[in-house]
Amino acid sequence: MNEFTLTEQERALLPSDDDVRFFAEHGWYLSKKLFSDSEVDELTAAVDRYYAGERSRRLPTRPPRLAYWTPEHGNVQRHNDYVHYESDGIAKALLKPLIGAVAARLAQAAEIRVFQSTLIYKPPIAEEPSNVVPWHFDKHYWSSSSSDRMLTAFIPFHDCDEELGTITMVDGSHLWEEVGSDDSATKHFAERDRDHLENLLEVNAAHNGTRVTKIPMIIPKGHMSFHHCRTYHGSGPNRSTRPRQAISLHLQDGDNAYREFPLSDGDLAFYNHDFLVRRTPDGKPDYADPEFCPPVWRS
Ligand SMILES: O=C(O)CCC(=O)C(=O)O
Ligand SMILES: [Fe+2]
């Protein structure tokens, strides 16, 4: 029995051939309504329980770059990694085959697995500096991944627009040749200098003979936006009166695997998985370990 099947109604929600071409050209895609309102409400309830301290299991160890907000951190932007692992309620939503099937179409891959899931909360404080997400692309954190087809689904739990500080894409930037990057790029954006990143974006656009076109994703509840792993994106402050709540679901195609990626100091790039996942027969971190990187789709 194949658990990765879609209903007739779900098939109608897949990206069309034009949508797949659009994603290849622009590096982003706004989906149809992939979650019903009640599915989003169930996810929100699971997240409320997570913030209240409920866990289905806990990570066996805390890898070095783990994002893990706890109440002592206060009213800053919250990031919590591995929520698909620690909360079965959250995993139930994120492992919906339809999300994987949409990603598989966009990445033109036969299999899609979870790479990471990060729960995000921007408190409604217009001046809160931690709410601003500087320009970056996700592949920078994934140097130890062999694939260039990885992608991210940004899943808000409510209508999400510029007032809330929605995710904003730099159109077509996944096709840019990159200049001026260094090892600091493998660090999370929270550890990097914002002005430097803003400037780097302009420098890269100019190098590629183009301008920076910023597209805020206006995402209705139940919809989600997808971006290619080399698409520059960021987001602004939350100027509204309600929190901006979302999950970034980072996805890998079936072919992705650990690769050795030497940094300039001779050390190898690593990802937090390398401290958690099982090993392949040749002793490398297995990015297909179903415990941490479960499949979301197989065609
Ligand atoms: O929270 C945001 O606006 C950006 C999230 C992000 O960087 C991502 O989804 O890859
Ligand atoms: Fe990102």
Side-chain angles (χ1 to χ4, degrees):
M1 231 265 316
N2 179 6
E3 63 191 295
F4 302 105
T5 51
L6 301 180
T7 65
E8 194 72 37
Q9 294 94 313
E10 286 180 321
R11 270 200 292 276
L13 301 173
L14 292 173
S16 67
D17 289 346
D18 277 349
D19 293 333
V20 174
R21 269 193 295 273
F22 182 93
F23 181 78
E25 280 171 27
H26 295 265
W28 57 272
Y29 164 72
L30 188 55
S31 83
K32 301 202 169 87
K33 190 170 170 90
L34 305 186
F35 281 143
S36 66
D37 286 348
S38 62
E39 284 175 317
V40 180
D41 295 344
E42 239 182 83
L43 170 60
T44 308
V47 164
D48 288 347
R49 296 196 303 273
Y50 176 94
Y51 282 135
E54 182 189 283
R55 299 290 186 276
S56 308
R57 65 194 62 70
R58 283 179 187 272
L59 288 174
T61 138
R62 279 183 167 236
R65 289 194 184 137
L66 184 70
Y68 208 86
W69 180 89
T70 54
E72 306 89 81
H73 294 110
N75 224 355
V76 295
Q77 182 172 194
R78 310 179 190 175
H79 286 115
N80 290 84
D81 289 337
Y82 291 101
V83 290
H84 65 286
Y85 178 84
E86 290 204 326
S87 161
D88 289 342
I90 296 175
K92 179 171 179 261
L94 299 184
L95 297 179
K96 183 174 180 171
L98 178 57
I99 301 176
V102 170
R105 290 269 299 152
L106 298 174
Q108 300 178 55
E111 180 184 318
I112 293 289
R113 299 187 298 260
V114 172
F115 190 69
Q116 182 58 276
S117 62
T118 306
L119 176 62
I120 306 173
Y121 181 107
K122 282 191 189 188
I125 307 169
E127 304 306 323
E128 174 50 48
S130 66
N131 271 350
V132 177
V133 177
W135 303 107
H136 68 279
F137 62 75
D138 298 336
K139 181 67 191 175
H140 276 145
Y141 317 135
W142 305 337
S143 298
S144 65
S145 275
S146 63
S147 171
D148 271 319
R149 289 168 185 259
M150 295 169 73
L151 71 172
T152 296
F154 177 78
I155 311 173
F157 307 166
H158 44 69
D159 292 346
C160 194
D161 63 11
E162 284 172 281
E163 193 192 14
L164 281 124
T166 193
I167 190 167
T168 299
M169 306 299 176
V170 178
D171 196 40
S173 55
H174 65 305
L175 299 174
W176 294 357
E177 183 187 80
E178 193 189 10
V179 285
S181 186
D182 56 35
D183 288 351
S184 74
T186 61
K187 291 199 186 136
H188 193 259
F189 53 71
E191 296 173 52
R192 297 174 70 194
D193 181 72
R194 277 190 200 132
D195 294 340
H196 174 67
L197 291 173
E198 185 78 42
N199 183 253
L200 206 52
L201 183 66
E202 296 295 340
V203 168
N204 272 273
H207 175 79
N208 286 275
T210 188
R211 293 235 179 105
V212 175
T213 307
K214 297 174 182 172
I215 317 243
M217 296 288 104
I218 310 301
I219 311 172
K221 180 174 175 177
H223 298 235
M224 52 194 78
S225 82
F226 287 81
H227 56 270
H228 184 274
C229 62
R230 295 186 59 92
T231 303
Y232 278 95
H233 56 281
S235 62
N238 180 2
R239 298 196 177 87
S240 81
T241 53
R242 16 189 227 297
R244 195 207 73 170
Q245 289 194 265
I247 288 176
S248 275
L249 177 60
H250 303 298
L251 298 165
Q252 53 178 327
D253 53 295
D255 290 339
N256 185 50
Y258 173 86
R259 68 168 179 191
E260 288 191 354
F261 187 88
L263 302 170
S264 55
D265 64 1
D267 283 356
L268 294 176
F270 70 87
Y271 189 73
N272 281 336
H273 289 345
D274 307 354
F275 299 83
L276 292 166
V277 299
R278 69 187 184 189
R279 303 289 120 164
T280 58
D282 55 356
K284 305 214 165 101
D286 186 357
Y287 292 173
D289 181 344
E291 217 190 326
F292 295 96
C293 302
V296 200
W297 180 253
R298 267 187 208 123
S299 60

